[in-house]
Amino acid sequence: MSSYPPPPPPFDRGAARAQQRAWKAQQRVILQQQRAQQRWQRSQMKAQMRMQRRRSLVGPLMLIAIGVVVLMTRFGSLHWGQFFEWYSRWWPAVMILAGLVLVAEWSLGHNREQPYSTPRLGGGMVVLLILLVSFGASLRWVGPGREWSERFMGSDWDHMMGQSHDFDDTLTQSITPQQTLVIRNPRGNVTVTGSSEDGQVHLALHKQVYAWRDSDAESRAQDLQPGVTNTPGQLLLAQNDVEGGTLDMTVEVPHGTPVTIDAGRGDVSIQELHSAVEITASRGAVDVSAITGPVSIHTSYDDASISGHSISGPVTLQGHAGDLTFSDITGGLSLDGDFFGRTHVERVNGIVRFETSRTKFQMARLDGDLDLDGGSDLSASEILGPVTLSTRNRNITLDRVDGRITVKNRNGSVNVTNTTPIAGIEITNEKGSIDIGVPQHASFNLKASTRRGDIENDFGLANSGPDSQPTLSGTVAGGGGLISVSTTDGDITLRKATVAPLPPAPPAAPKLTTEPIAPVQPALPGKPKAPKAPTLHKPPTAPIPAQP
């Protein structure tokens, strides 16, 4: 008899495992669907957020600023060397301005009634911002921006227009002593010497033309022939600008002829003239030597070298240039502009004036030399005062100064050695030390003060005031000129020095006459010239007495 209830069926392990696998597969499908839905929701949310977010104005403003700078340089209102020097110091302003714009946009968006949307920068603008910051930081290490001036923006591509063809020619023109020689050459070097002995102007012309065909080269060479305009006041030699051609001019003139040169792309050299010289050089070096007369130079090329030697007359330089070298100037020297290289001056009998956007320096005479590089050092020796110097970020050394001294500096040391008698020394420095040397038997009054520094002297004067802000004042050898010095974050040292006084100024060189001397007419043979009879002077006669 069968059991009741019937026994359960035997356990099927295979069916149970199959059922468990099917359940797990179903759970995986459900989980994948959930994850896909979450990803879709997140993508939709990000797309909605991107639609709500506005692009920042930082990018367009950066592009506008770059375009304005390039446009100003192309029109000559701004020079690349000057801009790069400025940018090497103030490049952090790019990050500051970008941050201010982002903060302003965030504030305006946060105050709106609509849902807040943060401004965003595009990837390209982020890369541009990084490049601008990196470029500005690198300029601080490579020095002033003169290395970049116009080398990338104004290169001469004439050699791409064909093969080089050379032509030589000569030209002779008459000139009177009342005329001024005016030369205008937009492309090519100009060399002028006062070596003409026949009273005429002699030109040696070297033409270089780039063209693919000989006929085109000859045509351009004809266009390079300078035009001549002879008027009562001047002799004008003008050359038109010819694409693919340059004209080098070597000119011999009478030594008393005034010369005016307007040069474009090319160097200018003038030597051995006893007259006034005026030069305008747009892109090229200038060399002037052995001139008796005033010299005026205008230049606008940040990398040009300017030199002048043995000039008996005042010299004036204005504009932008690189390295400057002057020596043996009689009549004074005035340098006004922005100079991005080294300045070296020796022996100037007259007022020396040096003025840039960073430094103002003036003295009555320079018997030694003046050396100023484009970085941070300024040194001068054997100077006749009064001397005034105002600058910043420089280490200053003035050695063997005779006369009053006034110096204002910031972020640099000041070292001065003065001769007797002490006419007065006033030095104001910020964040730098001051070292003054005076003769050991000098008489003067002293007033010195510093903050966060020490004061030392070789004249036995005692300091006063707190240690953080010591002061020193007193009278040495009965008193005399006032030595007033003050600085912050630096020491003050007053030391005894052996300084010889400057010699008196040399006498001025005699002016050379430019008027021709009339030749002596020889006497005709057989007719000797009778000597001139001497003039007889009658003795004074006594007055005749009146008749009674």
Side-chain angles (χ1 to χ4, degrees), residues 24 42 46-47 64 176 200 206 277 363 374 384 397 402 422:
K24 289 182 178 181
R42 284 196 297 268
K46 290 180 180 180
I64 292 174
T176 64
Q200 293 183 329
H206 178 73
V277 173
M363 66 192 75
L384 178 65
T397 301
D402 186 354
I422 303 297

Side-chain angles (χ1 to χ4, degrees), residues 4 27 70 138 205 209 309 325 355 396 424 490:
Y4 183 84
Q27 292 295 325
V70 174
S138 63
L205 308 178
V209 177
H309 307 283
T325 305
E355 183 171 352
I396 300 171

Side-chain angles (χ1 to χ4, degrees), residues 68-69 72-80 82-83:
V68 169
V69 170
M72 293 177 65
T73 56
R74 300 307 294 173
F75 280 95
S77 301
L78 181 66
H79 298 274
W80 281 111
Q82 183 180 7
F83 169 75

Side-chain angles (χ1 to χ4, degrees), residues 129-282:
L129 184 61
I130 293 174
L131 290 177
L132 291 176
V133 172
S134 302
F135 182 67
S138 63
L139 285 179
R140 293 297 297 170
W141 297 100
V142 301
R146 71 183 184 93
E147 298 294 336
W148 308 87
S149 63
E150 294 189 16
R151 291 186 177 180
F152 303 102
M153 303 302 296
S155 299
D156 192 356
W157 297 100
D158 288 342
H159 62 278
M160 301 294 293
M161 303 179 64
Q163 298 178 351
S164 175
H165 299 75
D166 295 332
F167 301 87
D168 293 322
D169 198 357
T170 58
L171 182 65
T172 301
Q173 287 291 322
S174 60
I175 191 170
T176 64
Q178 293 76 27
Q179 286 182 302
T180 299
L181 176 63
V182 180
I183 299 176
R184 297 175 184 172
N185 189 13
R187 292 173 181 262
N189 303 327
V190 178
T191 302
V192 179
T193 60
S195 57
S196 177
E197 298 180 354
D198 57 358
Q200 293 183 329
V201 177
H202 302 276
L203 286 83
L205 308 178
H206 178 73
K207 307 173 185 179
Q208 188 175 29
V209 177
Y210 293 91
W212 294 112
R213 295 182 299 182
D214 294 342
S215 59
D216 294 339
E218 293 177 358
S219 176
R220 292 182 181 179
Q222 291 294 330
D223 295 337
L224 283 175
Q225 190 71 13
V228 179
T229 303
N230 200 331
T231 61
Q234 70 177 13
L235 174 62
L236 173 62
L237 304 177
Q239 169 57 40
N240 296 324
D241 191 359
V242 178
E243 290 293 337
T246 59
L247 174 64
D248 295 336
M249 306 173 65
T250 301
V251 187
E252 296 181 2
V253 300
H255 65 271
T257 303
V259 175
T260 299
I261 296 179
D262 186 358
R265 296 173 179 262
D267 301 336
V268 178
S269 176
I270 301 180
Q271 300 175 357
E272 302 177 1
L273 286 181
H274 300 164
S275 58
V277 173
E278 183 175 355
I279 301 172
T280 300
S282 300

Side-chain angles (χ1 to χ4, degrees), residues 456-480:
E456 298 179 357
N457 73 96
D458 295 342
F459 295 90
L461 301 177
N463 295 349
S464 60
D467 294 339
S468 61
Q469 192 172 352
T471 60
L472 180 63
S473 61
T475 301
V476 176

